[in-house]
Amino acid sequence: MALQYWVGDFFVDLSRNQITRNGQSRTIPPKALAVLTYLAKHQRKVVSHDDLLTEVWPNTVVTPNTLQRSIAQLRKALGEDRKLQSYIRTHAKQGYSLECDIVWEDDYSAKKGGTEPQEKAISPESQVNRKPKQPDHQSQVFKPSRYLVSSIVGLVLLGFIGFKFYTPKHTSQLIFDRLQAVTATDRKEFAPTYSPDGQYILFHRYLDKLCVNKIWARNIHSQKETQLTPDWGTYGRHTLSPDGKTLVFIAAEDCTKPLTQNVCYDLVSLDFQKALVGQPSANVLMRCKNSAISNPVWINDNNLAILQKVSRRWRLINYSVNNNTSRVLYDLEDGNLVYFDYSKSEDIIAVISNHQDGQLYIDMLDSSGQVLSSHPVDYPDEIPEHMRISPNFSPLNERLIFSTGRRFFSLSYDGKVNKLNLPLDQPASSPYFHPDGQRALLIKGRYDSDIASIPLSQPEAISMPSEADVSKIYPSTTRSILEDDDGIFQPNGNLIAFTSRRSGDDQVWITDGRDLQQLSQFPMDTNIYGMNWSADGQSILVNANKSLTQIYLDGSIKNFSLAHPVNRQFQWDSVNNTVLLSLTIKGITKFAEVYLEGPEVKVINEKQVNWAQRSEDGRLIYLDHMNRFWQPGPAEDQLIEKLALQGSEKRFVLKENVIYSINRDNQLWSYDLKTDNFNPIREMHKDIDYLTDINQESLLITYVVSAKKEVTELFLRE
């Protein structure tokens, strides 16, 4: 095969990993060039994703996003307009094709008799200056008349004038002017929206003492705040009807006789005008005991679009308020829905979903559920390939906007992502735009948690006043004003590893009780979802941005390429090199054990598993979605009856065949798997987030110091 060839006007030199045009060379990753070369060998033919993956990455497990990144690198090097796709064309759910002329260097040399010195053949500058001639039947030069030239010049001038003075009002970019606070309390606020007339800001406020969320309205002009839901706790997003009269939200409450879930979900409507004057009148529209509902949004004809979770798969339904009936709007048989937003002006729905190929897609629907288009989300290098996003419609023409933390990006209807110039000092939510498109709401704030080491052998219970300062009862091991979490003891050592945002993003840190050291160097907007020490205490396996990385104490790293995003890392057995994980496979979360040398994935079950550990004697213990303890039995998994009411979201630790955990009544307890002995230990503070590790002398906990989130308003420059 020739090591050099032409793609249109671009000279490709595989020996140098370069693409050159007009004397300007760009170095390209070898795998990306291998993709281009394989497409060139099948010029103007559709090459499937599988064929490209097999050809370029043989005997290697990689995600389809790896191929997608190579395509993006090639398009950037070729200076390609992504919408026109003049070189590399995407064929939805099929593959790619190279739609241009290809001239191989050996063909060109053969035509010249093979007389040219080889040294010149490998010089990109000389190759560019002597691009092969066109075939003989195209070699005649067409000479336009001066009248035709004058006409073309005139058309160009007219086009320029028309573009300058008749450009549509849709803007191609947003210019941000300022960011200012809307709320400034010690409470947590979230889920902000505008009323349809733009006169009110509606948001949720979390009342720590009552442990419920309430919906509030704030008048934009008078700044007066009104609590709208005094008798209801809420869950998820709320929505106002287009006429501004009816507020709909989802209330969550404990199910009296739970069948498949701990809470029931009520779809509730409220008279907005009466609620503003302190006379709320609520009505339960729909109740779900065995399925979850989320994110209600008014669409047209007095209908609501709602996400509904049935058998662990989310689908989009249409609920008719007039008829009290529902029907499925959109469902993926081999995938899952993640998020959606609705544009009233265009009467279309944008759905973010996981498809069967493992990629994240943007699916555009009309309000009846008809699919208008479906494209994979083309992440740039700045965004981790498995990051989930929540884009909302924006003033930009055919583009939505989402946040990854401290950065904003736009997302086009065909899946193209572009960075917006608005760096933030703190993570913020995706913006929700005002009806006039000149301002937007977002949530900005910080979460402050600390790690404490507590003696395990404390003989008597501590008096634990409900309002006591948690930091005075449990002195911090690693105090900062930002989020510290996941403290774990080093095996056979004196270090504690933990995650912290003190440097701006989630990173792995270690401490010996006196000095601190940042061990990882993950990029901006990184999120860590679990980590474990190796048995020899010399490295840590980390799930950062849903991918696994092994970090050694000397700072060196080893990355593991899995075919599926990792939702949660539970436990790593470094001796056998296996890890217990929660994976997303075709959009569905599954509990699995992965052998990292392969890597080989063994799905244990398809339940939603909240936490899992293996005991020293090899028994698998896990918490299901209702925080019940299970262990394998001879025929099927069995509930641990003595722990029927002891599970909680605070996780558990398994050491020497003994389970340690904190129940919903804030009681620390232990359970011996061998003797079946349950032992209450002592009361713990209510603000403990997680029990993270235990050794012979102490246990490590994470507790909340403060959690401040506030509504802010982002103004655009006109």
Side-chain angles (χ1 to χ4, degrees), residues 274-305:
K274 288 184 178 179
L276 284 175
V277 295
Q279 300 175 357
S281 176
N283 177 42
V284 177
L285 301 175
M286 179 174 64
R287 194 172 205 218
C288 299
K289 291 185 177 182
N290 297 302
S291 66
I293 52 176
S294 176
N295 202 37
V297 176
W298 286 97
I299 49 176
N300 53 21
D301 299 327
N302 217 21
N303 293 321
L304 291 159

PDB file of all heavy atoms in Angstrom, residues 274-305:
ATOM      1  N   LYS A 274     -54.186  31.420  42.585  1.00  0.00           N
ATOM      2  CA  LYS A 274     -54.635  31.291  43.973  1.00  0.00           C
ATOM      3  C   LYS A 274     -53.457  31.054  44.917  1.00  0.00           C
ATOM      4  O   LYS A 274     -53.425  31.577  46.037  1.00  0.00           O
ATOM      5  CB  LYS A 274     -55.640  30.148  44.101  1.00  0.00           C
ATOM      6  CG  LYS A 274     -56.999  30.436  43.489  1.00  0.00           C
ATOM      7  CD  LYS A 274     -57.962  29.279  43.743  1.00  0.00           C
ATOM      8  CE  LYS A 274     -59.345  29.581  43.181  1.00  0.00           C
ATOM      9  NZ  LYS A 274     -60.300  28.450  43.405  1.00  0.00           N
ATOM     10  N   ALA A 275     -52.479  30.278  44.455  1.00  0.00           N
ATOM     11  CA  ALA A 275     -51.315  30.004  45.294  1.00  0.00           C
ATOM     12  C   ALA A 275     -50.519  31.276  45.560  1.00  0.00           C
ATOM     13  O   ALA A 275     -49.919  31.438  46.628  1.00  0.00           O
ATOM     14  CB  ALA A 275     -50.435  28.947  44.641  1.00  0.00           C
ATOM     15  N   LEU A 276     -50.515  32.210  44.614  1.00  0.00           N
ATOM     16  CA  LEU A 276     -49.780  33.460  44.801  1.00  0.00           C
ATOM     17  C   LEU A 276     -50.355  34.321  45.916  1.00  0.00           C
ATOM     18  O   LEU A 276     -49.641  35.125  46.523  1.00  0.00           O
ATOM     19  CB  LEU A 276     -49.773  34.269  43.496  1.00  0.00           C
ATOM     20  CG  LEU A 276     -48.820  33.796  42.390  1.00  0.00           C
ATOM     21  CD1 LEU A 276     -49.021  34.619  41.125  1.00  0.00           C
ATOM     22  CD2 LEU A 276     -47.366  33.886  42.850  1.00  0.00           C
ATOM     23  N   VAL A 277     -51.637  34.149  46.206  1.00  0.00           N
ATOM     24  CA  VAL A 277     -52.270  34.941  47.269  1.00  0.00           C
ATOM     25  C   VAL A 277     -52.508  34.098  48.515  1.00  0.00           C
ATOM     26  O   VAL A 277     -53.327  34.452  49.374  1.00  0.00           O
ATOM     27  CB  VAL A 277     -53.594  35.569  46.778  1.00  0.00           C
ATOM     28  CG1 VAL A 277     -53.315  36.565  45.670  1.00  0.00           C
ATOM     29  CG2 VAL A 277     -54.576  34.500  46.297  1.00  0.00           C
ATOM     30  N   GLY A 278     -51.798  32.982  48.614  1.00  0.00           N
ATOM     31  CA  GLY A 278     -51.865  32.172  49.831  1.00  0.00           C
ATOM     32  C   GLY A 278     -53.059  31.257  49.926  1.00  0.00           C
ATOM     33  O   GLY A 278     -53.424  30.835  51.024  1.00  0.00           O
ATOM     34  N   GLN A 279     -53.686  30.918  48.784  1.00  0.00           N
ATOM     35  CA  GLN A 279     -54.835  30.018  48.788  1.00  0.00           C
ATOM     36  C   GLN A 279     -54.591  28.850  47.825  1.00  0.00           C
ATOM     37  O   GLN A 279     -55.290  28.706  46.819  1.00  0.00           O
ATOM     38  CB  GLN A 279     -56.104  30.774  48.384  1.00  0.00           C
ATOM     39  CG  GLN A 279     -56.447  31.926  49.308  1.00  0.00           C
ATOM     40  CD  GLN A 279     -57.637  32.736  48.800  1.00  0.00           C
ATOM     41  OE1 GLN A 279     -58.181  32.478  47.732  1.00  0.00           O
ATOM     42  NE2 GLN A 279     -58.045  33.722  49.584  1.00  0.00           N
ATOM     43  N   PRO A 280     -53.587  28.049  48.100  1.00  0.00           N
ATOM     44  CA  PRO A 280     -53.271  26.951  47.167  1.00  0.00           C
ATOM     45  C   PRO A 280     -54.396  25.931  47.090  1.00  0.00           C
ATOM     46  O   PRO A 280     -54.957  25.516  48.101  1.00  0.00           O
ATOM     47  CB  PRO A 280     -52.000  26.338  47.766  1.00  0.00           C
ATOM     48  CG  PRO A 280     -52.064  26.678  49.223  1.00  0.00           C
ATOM     49  CD  PRO A 280     -52.728  28.021  49.302  1.00  0.00           C
ATOM     50  N   SER A 281     -54.733  25.550  45.875  1.00  0.00           N
ATOM     51  CA  SER A 281     -55.759  24.542  45.636  1.00  0.00           C
ATOM     52  C   SER A 281     -55.155  23.464  44.748  1.00  0.00           C
ATOM     53  O   SER A 281     -54.957  23.677  43.548  1.00  0.00           O
ATOM     54  CB  SER A 281     -56.978  25.177  44.955  1.00  0.00           C
ATOM     55  OG  SER A 281     -57.939  24.197  44.627  1.00  0.00           O
ATOM     56  N   ALA A 282     -54.846  22.306  45.345  1.00  0.00           N
ATOM     57  CA  ALA A 282     -54.107  21.262  44.635  1.00  0.00           C
ATOM     58  C   ALA A 282     -55.014  20.099  44.272  1.00  0.00           C
ATOM     59  O   ALA A 282     -56.032  19.841  44.916  1.00  0.00           O
ATOM     60  CB  ALA A 282     -52.940  20.771  45.484  1.00  0.00           C
ATOM     61  N   ASN A 283     -54.617  19.372  43.227  1.00  0.00           N
ATOM     62  CA  ASN A 283     -55.382  18.231  42.752  1.00  0.00           C
ATOM     63  C   ASN A 283     -54.414  17.172  42.230  1.00  0.00           C
ATOM     64  O   ASN A 283     -53.544  17.470  41.410  1.00  0.00           O
ATOM     65  CB  ASN A 283     -56.342  18.669  41.635  1.00  0.00           C
ATOM     66  CG  ASN A 283     -57.112  17.501  41.056  1.00  0.00           C
ATOM     67  OD1 ASN A 283     -57.582  16.636  41.792  1.00  0.00           O
ATOM     68  ND2 ASN A 283     -57.240  17.476  39.738  1.00  0.00           N
ATOM     69  N   VAL A 284     -54.535  15.930  42.709  1.00  0.00           N
ATOM     70  CA  VAL A 284     -53.694  14.834  42.223  1.00  0.00           C
ATOM     71  C   VAL A 284     -54.250  14.346  40.885  1.00  0.00           C
ATOM     72  O   VAL A 284     -55.381  13.869  40.811  1.00  0.00           O
ATOM     73  CB  VAL A 284     -53.630  13.671  43.231  1.00  0.00           C
ATOM     74  CG1 VAL A 284     -52.814  12.520  42.655  1.00  0.00           C
ATOM     75  CG2 VAL A 284     -53.024  14.136  44.549  1.00  0.00           C
ATOM     76  N   LEU A 285     -53.457  14.467  39.834  1.00  0.00           N
ATOM     77  CA  LEU A 285     -53.887  14.050  38.511  1.00  0.00           C
ATOM     78  C   LEU A 285     -53.633  12.568  38.264  1.00  0.00           C
ATOM     79  O   LEU A 285     -54.461  11.882  37.672  1.00  0.00           O
ATOM     80  CB  LEU A 285     -53.149  14.869  37.433  1.00  0.00           C
ATOM     81  CG  LEU A 285     -53.325  16.386  37.482  1.00  0.00           C
ATOM     82  CD1 LEU A 285     -52.443  17.034  36.427  1.00  0.00           C
ATOM     83  CD2 LEU A 285     -54.786  16.768  37.262  1.00  0.00           C
ATOM     84  N   MET A 286     -52.474  12.079  38.715  1.00  0.00           N
ATOM     85  CA  MET A 286     -52.080  10.708  38.412  1.00  0.00           C
ATOM     86  C   MET A 286     -51.156  10.224  39.517  1.00  0.00           C
ATOM     87  O   MET A 286     -50.331  10.978  40.022  1.00  0.00           O
ATOM     88  CB  MET A 286     -51.368  10.661  37.054  1.00  0.00           C
ATOM     89  CG  MET A 286     -50.880   9.295  36.627  1.00  0.00           C
ATOM     90  SD  MET A 286     -50.218   9.300  34.924  1.00  0.00           S
ATOM     91  CE  MET A 286     -48.811  10.397  35.077  1.00  0.00           C
ATOM     92  N   ARG A 287     -51.282   8.940  39.915  1.00  0.00           N
ATOM     93  CA  ARG A 287     -50.422   8.376  40.948  1.00  0.00           C
ATOM     94  C   ARG A 287     -49.748   7.117  40.426  1.00  0.00           C
ATOM     95  O   ARG A 287     -50.391   6.267  39.814  1.00  0.00           O
ATOM     96  CB  ARG A 287     -51.217   8.048  42.214  1.00  0.00           C
ATOM     97  CG  ARG A 287     -50.293   7.780  43.406  1.00  0.00           C
ATOM     98  CD  ARG A 287     -51.054   7.639  44.705  1.00  0.00           C
ATOM     99  NE  ARG A 287     -50.216   7.968  45.839  1.00  0.00           N
ATOM    100  CZ  ARG A 287     -50.236   7.328  47.006  1.00  0.00           C
ATOM    101  NH1 ARG A 287     -51.059   6.304  47.192  1.00  0.00           N
ATOM    102  NH2 ARG A 287     -49.456   7.702  47.998  1.00  0.00           N
ATOM    103  N   CYS A 288     -48.432   7.021  40.676  1.00  0.00           N
ATOM    104  CA  CYS A 288     -47.648   5.873  40.225  1.00  0.00           C
ATOM    105  C   CYS A 288     -47.025   5.176  41.426  1.00  0.00           C
ATOM    106  O   CYS A 288     -46.223   5.771  42.150  1.00  0.00           O
ATOM    107  CB  CYS A 288     -46.548   6.323  39.261  1.00  0.00           C
ATOM    108  SG  CYS A 288     -47.171   7.118  37.770  1.00  0.00           S
ATOM    109  N   LYS A 289     -47.382   3.896  41.623  1.00  0.00           N
ATOM    110  CA  LYS A 289     -46.826   3.108  42.727  1.00  0.00           C
ATOM    111  C   LYS A 289     -45.712   2.176  42.270  1.00  0.00           C
ATOM    112  O   LYS A 289     -44.862   1.800  43.067  1.00  0.00           O
ATOM    113  CB  LYS A 289     -47.931   2.281  43.396  1.00  0.00           C
ATOM    114  CG  LYS A 289     -48.945   3.103  44.171  1.00  0.00           C
ATOM    115  CD  LYS A 289     -49.925   2.197  44.912  1.00  0.00           C
ATOM    116  CE  LYS A 289     -50.900   2.992  45.757  1.00  0.00           C
ATOM    117  NZ  LYS A 289     -51.823   2.105  46.515  1.00  0.00           N
ATOM    118  N   ASN A 290     -45.734   1.792  41.007  1.00  0.00           N
ATOM    119  CA  ASN A 290     -44.769   0.814  40.519  1.00  0.00           C
ATOM    120  C   ASN A 290     -43.936   1.334  39.351  1.00  0.00           C
ATOM    121  O   ASN A 290     -43.253   0.567  38.688  1.00  0.00           O
ATOM    122  CB  ASN A 290     -45.483  -0.470  40.105  1.00  0.00           C
ATOM    123  CG  ASN A 290     -46.176  -1.126  41.289  1.00  0.00           C
ATOM    124  OD1 ASN A 290     -45.534  -1.449  42.279  1.00  0.00           O
ATOM    125  ND2 ASN A 290     -47.480  -1.296  41.189  1.00  0.00           N
ATOM    126  N   SER A 291     -44.019   2.621  39.110  1.00  0.00           N
ATOM    127  CA  SER A 291     -43.161   3.245  38.106  1.00  0.00           C
ATOM    128  C   SER A 291     -42.835   4.651  38.576  1.00  0.00           C
ATOM    129  O   SER A 291     -43.621   5.268  39.297  1.00  0.00           O
ATOM    130  CB  SER A 291     -43.846   3.290  36.731  1.00  0.00           C
ATOM    131  OG  SER A 291     -44.974   4.135  36.767  1.00  0.00           O
ATOM    132  N   ALA A 292     -41.686   5.133  38.184  1.00  0.00           N
ATOM    133  CA  ALA A 292     -41.285   6.493  38.529  1.00  0.00           C
ATOM    134  C   ALA A 292     -41.636   7.424  37.377  1.00  0.00           C
ATOM    135  O   ALA A 292     -41.610   7.027  36.210  1.00  0.00           O
ATOM    136  CB  ALA A 292     -39.795   6.546  38.823  1.00  0.00           C
ATOM    137  N   ILE A 293     -41.974   8.675  37.687  1.00  0.00           N
ATOM    138  CA  ILE A 293     -42.200   9.697  36.671  1.00  0.00           C
ATOM    139  C   ILE A 293     -41.334  10.904  37.007  1.00  0.00           C
ATOM    140  O   ILE A 293     -41.021  11.160  38.166  1.00  0.00           O
ATOM    141  CB  ILE A 293     -43.685  10.095  36.548  1.00  0.00           C
ATOM    142  CG1 ILE A 293     -44.281  10.467  37.918  1.00  0.00           C
ATOM    143  CG2 ILE A 293     -44.490   8.991  35.900  1.00  0.00           C
ATOM    144  CD1 ILE A 293     -45.710  10.968  37.837  1.00  0.00           C
ATOM    145  N   SER A 294     -40.953  11.629  35.976  1.00  0.00           N
ATOM    146  CA  SER A 294     -40.032  12.744  36.163  1.00  0.00           C
ATOM    147  C   SER A 294     -40.209  13.759  35.048  1.00  0.00           C
ATOM    148  O   SER A 294     -40.664  13.429  33.955  1.00  0.00           O
ATOM    149  CB  SER A 294     -38.589  12.216  36.177  1.00  0.00           C
ATOM    150  OG  SER A 294     -37.653  13.257  36.263  1.00  0.00           O
ATOM    151  N   ASN A 295     -39.839  15.019  35.346  1.00  0.00           N
ATOM    152  CA  ASN A 295     -39.674  16.053  34.331  1.00  0.00           C
ATOM    153  C   ASN A 295     -40.947  16.356  33.530  1.00  0.00           C
ATOM    154  O   ASN A 295     -40.939  16.310  32.300  1.00  0.00           O
ATOM    155  CB  ASN A 295     -38.553  15.634  33.372  1.00  0.00           C
ATOM    156  CG  ASN A 295     -37.941  16.810  32.644  1.00  0.00           C
ATOM    157  OD1 ASN A 295     -37.787  17.875  33.218  1.00  0.00           O
ATOM    158  ND2 ASN A 295     -37.615  16.618  31.380  1.00  0.00           N
ATOM    159  N   PRO A 296     -42.066  16.696  34.174  1.00  0.00           N
ATOM    160  CA  PRO A 296     -43.266  17.055  33.404  1.00  0.00           C
ATOM    161  C   PRO A 296     -43.079  18.400  32.696  1.00  0.00           C
ATOM    162  O   PRO A 296     -42.546  19.349  33.280  1.00  0.00           O
ATOM    163  CB  PRO A 296     -44.356  17.142  34.484  1.00  0.00           C
ATOM    164  CG  PRO A 296     -43.614  17.524  35.731  1.00  0.00           C
ATOM    165  CD  PRO A 296     -42.281  16.864  35.632  1.00  0.00           C
ATOM    166  N   VAL A 297     -43.524  18.484  31.451  1.00  0.00           N
ATOM    167  CA  VAL A 297     -43.408  19.715  30.657  1.00  0.00           C
ATOM    168  C   VAL A 297     -44.687  19.885  29.849  1.00  0.00           C
ATOM    169  O   VAL A 297     -45.102  18.967  29.133  1.00  0.00           O
ATOM    170  CB  VAL A 297     -42.189  19.661  29.706  1.00  0.00           C
ATOM    171  CG1 VAL A 297     -42.149  20.911  28.832  1.00  0.00           C
ATOM    172  CG2 VAL A 297     -40.890  19.526  30.489  1.00  0.00           C
ATOM    173  N   TRP A 298     -45.315  21.068  29.966  1.00  0.00           N
ATOM    174  CA  TRP A 298     -46.485  21.356  29.133  1.00  0.00           C
ATOM    175  C   TRP A 298     -46.070  21.416  27.675  1.00  0.00           C
ATOM    176  O   TRP A 298     -45.087  22.067  27.328  1.00  0.00           O
ATOM    177  CB  TRP A 298     -47.105  22.694  29.522  1.00  0.00           C
ATOM    178  CG  TRP A 298     -47.869  22.681  30.811  1.00  0.00           C
ATOM    179  CD1 TRP A 298     -47.416  23.059  32.028  1.00  0.00           C
ATOM    180  CD2 TRP A 298     -49.225  22.274  31.001  1.00  0.00           C
ATOM    181  NE1 TRP A 298     -48.402  22.906  32.975  1.00  0.00           N
ATOM    182  CE2 TRP A 298     -49.531  22.429  32.379  1.00  0.00           C
ATOM    183  CE3 TRP A 298     -50.221  21.782  30.149  1.00  0.00           C
ATOM    184  CZ2 TRP A 298     -50.769  22.119  32.906  1.00  0.00           C
ATOM    185  CZ3 TRP A 298     -51.461  21.481  30.680  1.00  0.00           C
ATOM    186  CH2 TRP A 298     -51.732  21.649  32.046  1.00  0.00           C
ATOM    187  N   ILE A 299     -46.840  20.750  26.829  1.00  0.00           N
ATOM    188  CA  ILE A 299     -46.616  20.914  25.395  1.00  0.00           C
ATOM    189  C   ILE A 299     -47.867  21.570  24.809  1.00  0.00           C
ATOM    190  O   ILE A 299     -48.224  22.653  25.251  1.00  0.00           O
ATOM    191  CB  ILE A 299     -46.208  19.585  24.723  1.00  0.00           C
ATOM    192  CG1 ILE A 299     -47.136  18.421  25.105  1.00  0.00           C
ATOM    193  CG2 ILE A 299     -44.787  19.214  25.102  1.00  0.00           C
ATOM    194  CD1 ILE A 299     -46.806  17.124  24.374  1.00  0.00           C
ATOM    195  N   ASN A 300     -48.554  20.985  23.844  1.00  0.00           N
ATOM    196  CA  ASN A 300     -49.699  21.655  23.234  1.00  0.00           C
ATOM    197  C   ASN A 300     -51.010  20.963  23.594  1.00  0.00           C
ATOM    198  O   ASN A 300     -51.034  19.852  24.117  1.00  0.00           O
ATOM    199  CB  ASN A 300     -49.536  21.697  21.706  1.00  0.00           C
ATOM    200  CG  ASN A 300     -49.268  20.314  21.135  1.00  0.00           C
ATOM    201  OD1 ASN A 300     -49.566  19.304  21.761  1.00  0.00           O
ATOM    202  ND2 ASN A 300     -48.691  20.282  19.941  1.00  0.00           N
ATOM    203  N   ASP A 301     -52.124  21.647  23.344  1.00  0.00           N
ATOM    204  CA  ASP A 301     -53.469  21.083  23.506  1.00  0.00           C
ATOM    205  C   ASP A 301     -53.703  20.524  24.916  1.00  0.00           C
ATOM    206  O   ASP A 301     -54.325  19.464  25.079  1.00  0.00           O
ATOM    207  CB  ASP A 301     -53.730  19.981  22.468  1.00  0.00           C
ATOM    208  CG  ASP A 301     -53.655  20.509  21.039  1.00  0.00           C
ATOM    209  OD1 ASP A 301     -54.018  21.682  20.845  1.00  0.00           O
ATOM    210  OD2 ASP A 301     -53.212  19.766  20.153  1.00  0.00           O
ATOM    211  N   ASN A 302     -53.206  21.242  25.919  1.00  0.00           N
ATOM    212  CA  ASN A 302     -53.425  20.844  27.318  1.00  0.00           C
ATOM    213  C   ASN A 302     -52.859  19.454  27.620  1.00  0.00           C
ATOM    214  O   ASN A 302     -53.446  18.672  28.369  1.00  0.00           O
ATOM    215  CB  ASN A 302     -54.915  20.885  27.673  1.00  0.00           C
ATOM    216  CG  ASN A 302     -55.146  21.363  29.096  1.00  0.00           C
ATOM    217  OD1 ASN A 302     -54.285  22.019  29.689  1.00  0.00           O
ATOM    218  ND2 ASN A 302     -56.287  21.028  29.659  1.00  0.00           N
ATOM    219  N   ASN A 303     -51.717  19.155  27.022  1.00  0.00           N
ATOM    220  CA  ASN A 303     -51.032  17.892  27.247  1.00  0.00           C
ATOM    221  C   ASN A 303     -49.697  18.124  27.945  1.00  0.00           C
ATOM    222  O   ASN A 303     -49.091  19.193  27.833  1.00  0.00           O
ATOM    223  CB  ASN A 303     -50.777  17.166  25.923  1.00  0.00           C
ATOM    224  CG  ASN A 303     -52.063  16.709  25.261  1.00  0.00           C
ATOM    225  OD1 ASN A 303     -52.990  16.260  25.934  1.00  0.00           O
ATOM    226  ND2 ASN A 303     -52.131  16.831  23.949  1.00  0.00           N
ATOM    227  N   LEU A 304     -49.231  17.083  28.622  1.00  0.00           N
ATOM    228  CA  LEU A 304     -47.930  17.109  29.282  1.00  0.00           C
ATOM    229  C   LEU A 304     -47.048  16.006  28.711  1.00  0.00           C
ATOM    230  O   LEU A 304     -47.529  14.890  28.480  1.00  0.00           O
ATOM    231  CB  LEU A 304     -48.072  16.890  30.793  1.00  0.00           C
ATOM    232  CG  LEU A 304     -48.729  18.006  31.605  1.00  0.00           C
ATOM    233  CD1 LEU A 304     -49.262  17.447  32.912  1.00  0.00           C
ATOM    234  CD2 LEU A 304     -47.728  19.114  31.888  1.00  0.00           C
ATOM    235  N   ALA A 305     -45.789  16.319  28.480  1.00  0.00           N
ATOM    236  CA  ALA A 305     -44.796  15.294  28.178  1.00  0.00           C
ATOM    237  C   ALA A 305     -44.080  14.960  29.477  1.00  0.00           C
ATOM    238  O   ALA A 305     -43.657  15.855  30.206  1.00  0.00           O
ATOM    239  CB  ALA A 305     -43.810  15.779  27.125  1.00  0.00           C
TER     240      ALA A 305
END
